């Protein structure tokens, strides 16, 4: 059985933190093969704005997208299924993740 890769970083600069996490795991190209489809699964289960910290911060999602792009994937998709009773599309919009996906040209 292979071991999972795990890395933790603390700091104020979201992009620098995400880059460092991938660097600690051997670089983004060690984790993602060129030409593959990459699915990013943030926590977007509830229709809450970013400042509530209920969902993954959209700037973290943006930083991951930008880092993943360095591996030249075929496609990047952000995927989520909202909590029971919540509308997934609304959750993406209210959380700010849909705006990031649109700005970065990534499918949801």
């Amino acid at each position: 059985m292979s071991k999972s890769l795990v890395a933790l970083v603390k700091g104020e600069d979201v992009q620098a933190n995400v880059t460092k996490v991938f660097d600690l795991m051997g670089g983004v190209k060690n984790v993602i093969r060129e030409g593959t489809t990459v699915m990013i699964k943030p926590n977007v289960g509830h229709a809450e704005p970013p400042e509530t910290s209920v969902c993954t911060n959209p700037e973290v999602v943006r930083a991951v997208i930008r880092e993943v792009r360095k591996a030249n994937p075929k496609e990047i998709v952000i995927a989520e299924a909202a909590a029971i009773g919540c509308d997934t599309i609304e959750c993406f919009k209210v959380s700010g993740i849909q705006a990031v996906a649109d700005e970065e040209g990534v499918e949801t």
Side-chain angles (χ1 to χ4, degrees), residues 70-99:
K70 294 177 183 178
N72 299 314
K74 174 183 168 188
E75 179 181 27
I76 301 172
V77 179
I78 302 173
E80 176 64 288
I84 295 172
C86 296
D87 179 83
T88 302
I89 294 170
E90 180 186 11
C91 293
F92 270 95
K93 288 179 182 175
V94 173
S95 69
I97 291 176
Q98 185 63 57

Side-chain angles (χ1 to χ4, degrees), residues 33-53:
R33 287 190 315 249
E34 184 174 351
T36 59
T37 297
V38 176
M39 182 176 296
I40 298 172
K41 198 287 185 196
N43 179 22
V44 194
H46 297 277
E48 296 290 339
E51 59 273 10
T52 65
S53 299

Side-chain angles (χ1 to χ4, degrees), residues 12-71:
E12 296 295 319
D13 185 321
V14 174
Q15 187 65 59
N17 290 344
V18 169
T19 299
K20 179 141 185 168
V21 162
F22 277 98
D23 288 347
L24 290 169
M25 295 188 295
V28 70
K29 292 181 179 181
N30 183 52
V31 181
I32 298 167
R33 287 190 315 249
E34 184 174 351
T36 59
T37 297
V38 176
M39 182 176 296
I40 298 172
K41 198 287 185 196
N43 179 22
V44 194
H46 297 277
E48 296 290 339
E51 59 273 10
T52 65
S53 299
V54 170
C55 299
T56 301
N57 184 300
E59 291 308 312
V60 171
V61 175
R62 183 188 310 277
V64 171
I65 291 167
R66 290 180 175 177
E67 194 63 26
V68 165
R69 278 204 176 110
K70 294 177 183 178

